[in-house]
């Protein structure tokens, strides 16, 4: 095994393990809050689906990429390759849409009631489930394309019609058809990224106006503390900026891989690392927020008193 492949394998393995542990810790945190009777926020369900999407992305991309880097290239058949690529694309897409949804909900949360978004403060939590449903459906539909042209390396397809994708292969397509597929897959992504950028700009404007309004309150305060809403907004802004930057870099590498008949293995490795960057770092950014925001938990404990105890009392 070449030293470069060994280094790539170690990095992929480390990134996958750290990402899985981070997402599991964050999921455990929300499960603990749920079973202890804490008051749920409207964004909790969105974050939980974001964690699920991160799990799908890391397991379907990080694990096969690590095995391929360590020299195991023929461990998936046609069905396995189709499933792995499909699950990864769906997980990646749901990460985009749930991050977008999280930023939009945060704009609604911090907006003053007299603004145009003020009326949605009470209505938005009721539509959280439906909004999450819409995050999954488009990506589950458009990524069916991958089931059509992803194959295993030891399938029956003629090798001259295959494009090497590492541990799997892709059927070579006409440039026009490939461009149409890329455009179809990019429509939901571009919509979500545009909405995220708009929501981020709106959050910055709301925070700036709020800071100007309360500046006189903190003028004599030597150690002013920001509100939980401001801290949550800052975390989501960091999350969105990190996601958009990694997404744009990943798109550039994926376009290069898609347009090349024989993609460079270095491009594939860099693209895999970029794809796993957001699912790995995301839970740690969110945990840094929730660790500073304690909640009031009310554990509903049913106490049954026996007749003898009541008499003795």
């Amino acid at each position: 095994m070449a030293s470069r492949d060994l280094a790539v394998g170690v990095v992929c393995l480390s990134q996958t393990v750290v990402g899985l542990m981070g997402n599991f810790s964050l999921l455990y945190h929300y499960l603990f809050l749920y079973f202890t009777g804490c008051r749920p926020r409207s964004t909790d369900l969105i974050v939980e689906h974001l964690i699920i999407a991160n799990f799908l992305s890391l397991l379907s991309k990080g694990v096969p990429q690590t095995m391929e880097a360590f020299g195991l290239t023929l461990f998936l058949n046609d069905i396995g390759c189709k499933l792995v690529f499909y699950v990864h694309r769906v997980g990646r897409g749901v990460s985009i849409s749930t991050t977008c949804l999280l930023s939009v909900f945060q704009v609604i949360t911090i907006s003053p009631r007299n603004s145009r978004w003020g009326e949605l403060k009470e209505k938005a939590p009721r539509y959280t489930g439906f909004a999450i449903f819409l995050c999954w459906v488009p990506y589950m539909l458009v990524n069916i394309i991958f089931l059509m042209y992803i194959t295993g390396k030891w399938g029956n397809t003629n090798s001259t019609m295959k494009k090497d994708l590492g541990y799997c292969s892709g059927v070579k397509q006409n440039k026009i058809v490939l461009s149409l597929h890329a455009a179809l897959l990019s429509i939901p992504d571009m919509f979500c990224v545009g909405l995220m950028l708009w929501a981020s700009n709106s959050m910055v404007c709301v925070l700036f106006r709020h800071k100007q309004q309360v500046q006189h309150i903190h003028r004599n305060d030597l150690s002013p503390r920001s509100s939980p809403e401001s801290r949550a907004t800052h975390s989501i802004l960091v999350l969105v900026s990190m996601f958009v930057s990694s997404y744009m870099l990943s798109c550039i590498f994926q376009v290069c891989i898609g347009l090349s008949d024989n993609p460079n293995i270095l491009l594939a490795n860099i693209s895999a690392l970029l794809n796993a960057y957001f699912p790995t770092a995301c839970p740690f950014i969110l945990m840094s927020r929730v660790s500073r925001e304690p909640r009031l938990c009310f554990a509903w404990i049913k106490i049954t008193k026996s007749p003898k105890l009541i008499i003795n009392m």
Side-chain angles (χ1 to χ4, degrees):
M1 182 187 299
S3 58
R4 187 186 65 179
D5 295 335
L6 179 61
V8 171
V10 171
V11 172
C12 288
L13 179 61
S14 303
Q15 193 178 40
T16 303
V17 171
V18 171
L20 290 175
M21 291 179 62
N23 283 280
F24 178 79
S25 300
L26 187 59
L27 182 61
Y28 172 79
H29 168 79
Y30 280 101
L31 290 176
F32 177 79
L33 292 179
Y34 174 78
F35 286 111
T36 53
C38 288
R39 182 184 304 172
R41 296 194 181 106
S42 58
T43 56
D44 285 356
L45 186 61
I46 303 175
V47 175
E48 290 166 7
H49 279 261
L50 177 58
I51 296 171
I52 295 173
N54 290 339
F55 271 120
L56 294 179
S57 297
L58 289 170
L59 290 174
S60 60
K61 192 67 174 180
V63 174
Q65 194 71 29
T66 302
M67 296 175 67
E68 191 267 339
F70 282 123
L72 301 174
T73 57
L74 300 177
F75 56 90
L76 289 174
N77 57 10
D78 284 353
I79 297 177
C81 281
K82 293 178 187 295
L83 184 62
V84 163
F85 269 76
Y86 178 76
V87 170
H88 171 254
R89 290 293 305 187
V90 171
R92 178 179 176 274
V94 176
S95 293
I96 297 175
S97 54
T98 49
T99 306
C100 172
L101 186 62
L102 189 63
S103 60
V104 171
F105 265 70
Q106 191 62 27
V107 171
I108 297 174
T109 300
I110 67 174
S111 296
R113 293 188 177 276
N114 57 358
S115 65
R116 57 182 177 179
W117 298 108
E119 299 178 357
L120 297 176
K121 281 182 177 289
E122 301 295 333
K123 298 179 181 179
R126 295 199 297 266
Y127 297 100
T128 304
F130 180 71
I132 293 174
F133 173 77
L134 293 180
C135 290
W136 284 88
V137 172
Y139 288 100
M140 294 179 69
L141 294 177
V142 298
N143 287 296
I144 292 177
I145 295 174
F146 285 91
L147 300 178
M148 301 177 183
Y149 68 88
I150 296 296
T151 63
K153 280 198 166 184
W154 44 286
N156 296 323
T157 309
N158 188 349
S159 60
T160 59
M161 297 297 296
K162 286 185 177 181
K163 180 166 60 176
D164 188 10
L165 298 175
Y167 49 87
C168 292
S169 299
V171 179
K172 293 182 181 180
Q173 295 179 319
N174 184 277
K175 297 294 184 181
I176 298 177
V177 175
L178 187 63
S179 300
L180 291 176
H181 287 173
L184 178 63
L185 293 171
S186 300
I187 289 175
D189 292 356
M190 291 297 102
F191 174 78
C192 290
V193 170
L195 198 56
M196 271 192 282
L197 294 175
W198 169 84
S200 300
N201 181 67
S202 300
M203 281 189 279
V204 171
C205 292
V206 171
L207 288 178
F208 179 77
R209 288 197 297 266
H210 177 72
K211 183 178 180 180
Q212 294 295 320
Q213 292 172 358
V214 301
Q215 190 174 9
H216 66 281
I217 298 177
H218 300 299
R219 187 170 299 167
N220 298 323
D221 193 354
L222 297 179
S223 59
R225 294 182 60 188
S226 59
S227 65
E229 292 80 6
S230 297
R231 291 195 296 270
T233 303
H234 292 154
S235 298
I236 294 175
L237 286 173
V238 172
L239 199 68
V240 170
S241 60
M242 182 187 69
F243 178 83
V244 172
S245 59
S246 62
Y247 171 79
M248 298 305 294
L249 289 174
S250 177
C251 284
I252 294 174
F253 282 96
Q254 287 185 355
V255 169
C256 294
I257 293 173
L259 295 178
S260 176
D261 292 333
N262 294 302
N264 191 310
I265 189 63
L266 180 61
L267 290 178
N269 290 331
I270 295 176
S271 177
L273 294 176
L274 286 173
N275 284 329
Y277 171 68
F278 178 77
T280 301
C282 170
F284 296 99
I285 295 176
L286 293 175
M287 280 191 289
S288 67
R289 171 176 67 98
V290 298
S291 63
R292 297 194 302 266
E293 296 179 12
R295 303 191 191 184
L296 295 176
C297 299
F298 303 94
W300 299 100
I301 305 175
K302 295 182 179 180
I303 304 176
T304 305
K305 298 180 180 180
S306 63
K308 291 183 180 180
L309 181 60
I310 296 175
I311 293 173
N312 292 333
M313 292 177 64

